[in-house]
């Protein structure tokens, strides 16, 4: 997915300005967020009707779950984890990687 996004970005700019290097960690993280948004949009079209009480969309459009751990100075993924469907290949693959 990262290479597809890189191709799309490179096709929109002039030849002299194109990025010709390997994917950076930011490119890979951006591709992950795009895939997560695609899965969430398909599985949770109306996130307000999710039976979990405290869900919200963050500034990147990712559906997250509010937890009771709000005062902790920690990784934002611990304080508000990303909501993913349990029976999804992407969920399985991401849980193996992380």
């Amino acid at each position: 997915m990262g290479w597809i996004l890189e191709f799309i970005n490179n096709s929109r700019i002039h030849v002299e300005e194109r990025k010709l290097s390997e994917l950076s960690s930011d490119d890979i993280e951006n591709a992950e967020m795009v895939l997560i948004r695609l899965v969430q949009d398909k599985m949770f079209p109306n996130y307000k009707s999710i039976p979990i009480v405290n869900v919200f969309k963050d500034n990147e459009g990712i559906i997250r779950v509010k937890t009771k751990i709000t005062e902790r100075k920690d990784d934002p993924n611990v304080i508000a984890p990303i909501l993913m469907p349990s029976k999804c290949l992407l969920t399985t693959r991401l849980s193996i990687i992380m």
Side-chain angles (χ1 to χ4, degrees):
M1 182 57 134
W3 287 113
I4 294 169
L5 294 173
E6 191 68 33
F7 175 78
I8 291 169
N9 290 334
N10 279 339
S11 66
R12 293 180 177 164
I13 58 178
H14 294 290
V15 176
E16 302 84 30
E17 299 171 1
R18 289 183 181 165
K19 182 180 172 187
L20 301 174
S21 62
E22 295 293 319
L23 290 178
S24 67
S25 60
D26 289 337
D27 294 333
I28 294 169
E29 187 174 321
N30 184 36
E32 281 180 4
M33 291 299 139
V34 168
L35 288 171
I36 289 170
R37 270 193 303 274
L38 287 171
V39 168
Q40 286 183 337
D41 289 345
K42 182 174 175 76
M43 301 303 288
F44 311 113
N46 184 6
Y47 78 95
K48 300 271 186 189
S49 66
I50 296 172
I52 299 173
V53 179
N54 293 319
V55 293
F56 68 99
K57 277 196 177 185
D58 66 6
N59 57 357
E60 295 178 355
I62 303 294
I63 302 172
R64 293 183 175 269
V65 180
K66 285 186 183 178
T67 62
K68 293 182 179 183
I69 309 170
T70 57
E71 300 301 320
R72 186 173 167 177
K73 303 291 185 222
D74 203 348
D75 182 21
N77 290 323
V78 172
I79 296 170
I82 296 172
L83 179 67
M84 292 292 288
S86 61
K87 296 181 180 176
C88 174
L89 182 60
L90 180 64
T91 305
T92 306
R93 298 285 166 90
L94 286 176
S95 64
I96 291 171
I97 293 171
M98 296 177 180

